[in-house]
Amino acid sequence: MKDGGHITLTLPPGSTATVDERGRKSLRRAWNQLPRCQRNLIILGITGFCVTVLLCLSGDQLLAASLKDVDTKAEVAPYQMPMPNPHHHPGVDKDVAKDTAAAPVPVDKKVPRAEPLSDKFNELVAYGEANSAENVVRLPETVAVALPPPDNNKEQDNGGIDILNNVEEPVAQDPSEPLSEGEQLDQAIKNPLTLGGVSFKEHLKKIKPLLAKGQHFHGATNERQSAVVAAFKHSWAGYKKYAWGHDNLKPISQYSHEWFGLGLTIVDSLDTMYIMGLDDEFKEGRDWVEQSLRFDTKRDVNLFEVTIRVLGGLLSAYHLSGDTMFLTKAAELGNRLLPAFQSPSNIPYSDVNLGDLSAHSPKWSPDSSTSEVTTIQLEFRDLSRSTNISIYEQVAHKVNEKVHDLEKNHGLVPIFINANTGTFRNYATISLGARGDSYYEYLLKQWIQTGRKDNDNLILDYMQAVDGVLTQLMRRTPREHWVYIGELINGKDFKPKMDHLTCYLPGTLILGHQNGMPDSHLILARDLLDTCYQTYKMNPTNLAAEISYFALTEKDDQDIYVKPNDAHNLLRPEFVESLYYFYSLTGNRTYQDMGWTIFQAFETHAKVNAGYTSMGNVKNTQSTRLRDLMESFWMSETLKYFYLLFSDDRKEIDLEQWVFNSEGHPLPVYPLKT
């Protein structure tokens, strides 16, 4: 025994190793002596036992976890839209609204139902009386719709393509976990033939109470309207005969002109035909859209042009006719346009390949036109409100927020913006004509579309911009005192040049005044309308040139003059649009007479055997130099605004209930969210 009190035990060398080695050898020998089949059965039994134990333990743990989640996790309400309101869809009656209110919500009972909202337009006060800082609230945020998976037990059609049920592989989705905005965007792009991860048909069934009801129009009621209808039918007949299914007609050479390969003239004309009561022509267009309009061609298109013409045309046709085929086509197109919004800055790229589902800046420049990226919001917001899918409105509204935060010149914006950096081009021109015009138009119209919320950034930016127009761009000619809107070259040097495109502004200004803007807006609207009319009357053809210039001093020979290279007329609608707004909002028939003068001028100088054509020179009745192109906006806008201008009912399209997009397509006004 040692000092520590421990007993020392000494074993013979190697004894432990010998025992272990013998045990292992004995077991190995016994195992090897068993038949092969017995060894396999033993291995299989042990494996099965282990797997069973693991599964039982995992199932218990999963069950416990799920029970815990049910008790603790809060449900997220889906993106809910207000019920159809007769104010916004006049075809909806009280019985439909009653059935809608009783429809079950396909989520947990804790989720509040969408309640029908009362008509608040009659409660509006003038903007100046309601414009206070206390009324500022955040714009409503929307979340994804949580939808259950499709019913796989339903019967399948064995025939051709079903536009309502043409499903790519649905994306699995947990209804209790709403997708993030990025996930919604990726899902829509990767599966353009679905909505919220399910087929169009399944989704439309779930939002049936929200679907639009068809409107009724009585057709032409007087000689002037009948003359416009005849002009439309002449244009349609030429297009149908020589350019059917193509974008535009060349009415002199009697051939087609292609741009995007999307049948622009057909889609652009749908709502015009419906409003005019041209049932046969509307059915021809409707059938072509259903059977032949495809969006999967690998071809670049312009985001702005396709949005205002095709997406806007489809949505307007849907709202007026109640035909959900148009909505499904619009939803697919909206999905295919979404890659444009995958830029670093939230400013969309200008060009999209609908087949490749890719997007990029224009090939000629790293910059997009400011008007183009800010003139898509009416359509994308309406697509969200119509489908109850929030992603379209979310990405479009981010453009508003980005542009709102940028520095401006008295509310005025340069005409170029970079999608990669999200900034305006330095020293770019400021203009209310080409590349800048509809930015200002859509500030006001979005505000109207969303219910006219006090102190919304949209209307604040609009008011600041009009103040900038009054102080920076408005001038009067030295002799006749014609009011005009010039440009700032390099963002600072005034140029007395006004595009015909700028003649949309009188209509926008009087629409704003009708909705509470100050009297200074109305005064500018009236003065500018007179000037725009003068640009028609000053020419022997009674048609306006594409661009007009204005005298700065009395040394100039004329107050208004046109340069030879700017003397063309493209059948544009902007001034007729403004005349329509003035007539609709005032009831003054003088504006009808002004429009009739211009319509007769088109009849005299633009009408040819196969349609109507643009011309190269409005300054000479003997040499108008016909240019052989009839763009889709002739039937979408110019003839539609003529028809509405000449209506005996100035509220045939009620501007309290509808807002026109930049291509003349009426979309419903939605109630203010509370």
Side-chain angles (χ1 to χ4, degrees), residues 621-661:
T621 58
Q622 304 304 314
S623 178
T624 54
R625 300 202 306 269
L626 302 182
R627 296 177 61 149
D628 194 20
L629 186 62
M630 185 180 79
E631 290 206 49
S632 66
F633 55 66
W634 165 250
M635 290 195 280
S636 168
E637 296 185 80
T638 310
L639 290 180
K640 180 188 288 134
Y641 285 128
F642 271 132
Y643 179 83
L644 295 173
L645 170 63
F646 299 145
S647 177
D648 295 322
D649 178 9
R650 62 189 178 99
K651 294 185 179 294
E652 188 158 355
I653 298 288
D654 191 344
L655 296 177
E656 287 290 315
Q657 300 182 29
W658 301 90
V659 60
F660 286 88
N661 86 334

Side-chain angles (χ1 to χ4, degrees), residues 580-597:
Y580 160 66
Y581 278 108
F582 268 76
Y583 167 64
S584 178
L585 296 175
T586 69
N588 189 336
R589 295 188 178 274
T590 299
Y591 305 116
Q592 291 182 316
D593 296 336
M594 296 165 70
W596 183 243
T597 299

Side-chain angles (χ1 to χ4, degrees), residues 327-573:
L327 181 58
T328 60
K329 284 287 188 179
E332 181 191 348
L333 177 59
N335 288 340
R336 292 184 181 276
L337 291 173
L338 286 176
F341 297 92
Q342 293 182 311
S343 73
S345 69
N346 292 327
I347 297 296
Y349 293 116
S350 66
D351 294 355
V352 187
N353 190 303
L354 299 179
D356 283 345
L357 300 172
S358 60
H360 56 84
S361 298
K363 296 178 180 178
W364 51 269
S365 167
D367 299 329
S368 300
S369 299
T370 301
S371 64
E372 292 187 355
V373 302
T374 54
T375 312
I376 54 179
Q377 286 75 14
L378 285 179
E379 299 81 2
F380 275 85
R381 179 179 292 108
D382 187 78
L383 183 57
S384 273
R385 304 293 177 99
S386 298
T387 61
N388 207 35
I389 298 291
S390 63
I391 186 60
Y392 314 108
E393 181 169 1
Q394 288 174 344
V395 295
H397 181 64
K398 280 190 173 182
V399 184
N400 290 340
E401 294 179 321
K402 181 67 177 180
V403 175
H404 170 74
D405 290 337
L406 295 176
E407 185 177 352
K408 304 175 184 66
N409 181 349
H410 297 84
L412 306 174
V413 296
I415 62 174
F416 291 108
I417 189 169
N418 191 295
N420 291 310
T421 64
T423 57
F424 293 123
R425 181 191 292 182
N426 292 330
Y427 308 111
T429 294
I430 291 175
S431 171
L432 268 72
R435 305 189 187 281
D437 50 357
S438 46
Y439 160 71
Y440 307 96
E441 173 191 3
Y442 267 39
L443 287 175
L444 175 69
K445 288 184 175 180
Q446 286 185 80
W447 177 69
I448 293 173
Q449 181 192 37
T450 52
R452 307 168 176 89
K453 184 175 70 177
D454 294 337
N455 288 341
D456 191 319
N457 285 337
L458 291 166
I459 198 60
L460 297 179
D461 287 351
Y462 173 77
M463 295 182 70
Q464 185 181 21
V466 176
D467 286 345
V469 170
L470 289 167
T471 59
Q472 306 297 308
L473 300 181
M474 190 196 81
R475 298 286 192 280
R476 292 182 181 271
T477 60
R479 285 181 289 267
E480 300 295 333
H481 306 293
W482 299 114
V483 169
Y484 66 96
I485 306 299
E487 299 179 348
L488 295 180
I489 307 302
N490 299 322
K492 58 181 180 179
D493 300 324
F494 184 81
K495 184 176 183 179
K497 165 183 173 287
M498 188 173 83
D499 295 349
H500 180 272
L501 288 168
T502 307
C503 287
Y504 82 92
L505 187 57
T508 298
L509 288 169
I510 193 172
L511 179 64
H513 183 266
Q514 180 73 14
N515 286 278
M517 299 299 103
D519 288 345
S520 58
H521 292 204
L522 178 60
I523 295 170
L524 176 59
R526 289 172 174 168
D527 289 344
L528 192 57
L529 190 81
D530 289 342
T531 302
C532 286
Y533 187 53
Q534 184 62 27
T535 64
Y536 282 80
K537 293 294 292 179
M538 63 174 284
N539 296 312
T541 58
N542 278 341
L543 292 173
E546 179 73 0
I547 299 172
S548 297
Y549 286 82
F550 298 83
L552 287 173
T553 68
E554 293 186 0
K555 295 180 180 179
D556 295 297
D557 294 335
Q558 297 175 295
D559 272 18
I560 307 175
Y561 59 96
V562 175
K563 296 181 179 180
N565 289 339
D566 302 324
H568 49 286
N569 182 291
L570 305 181
L571 311 177
R572 288 198 186 276

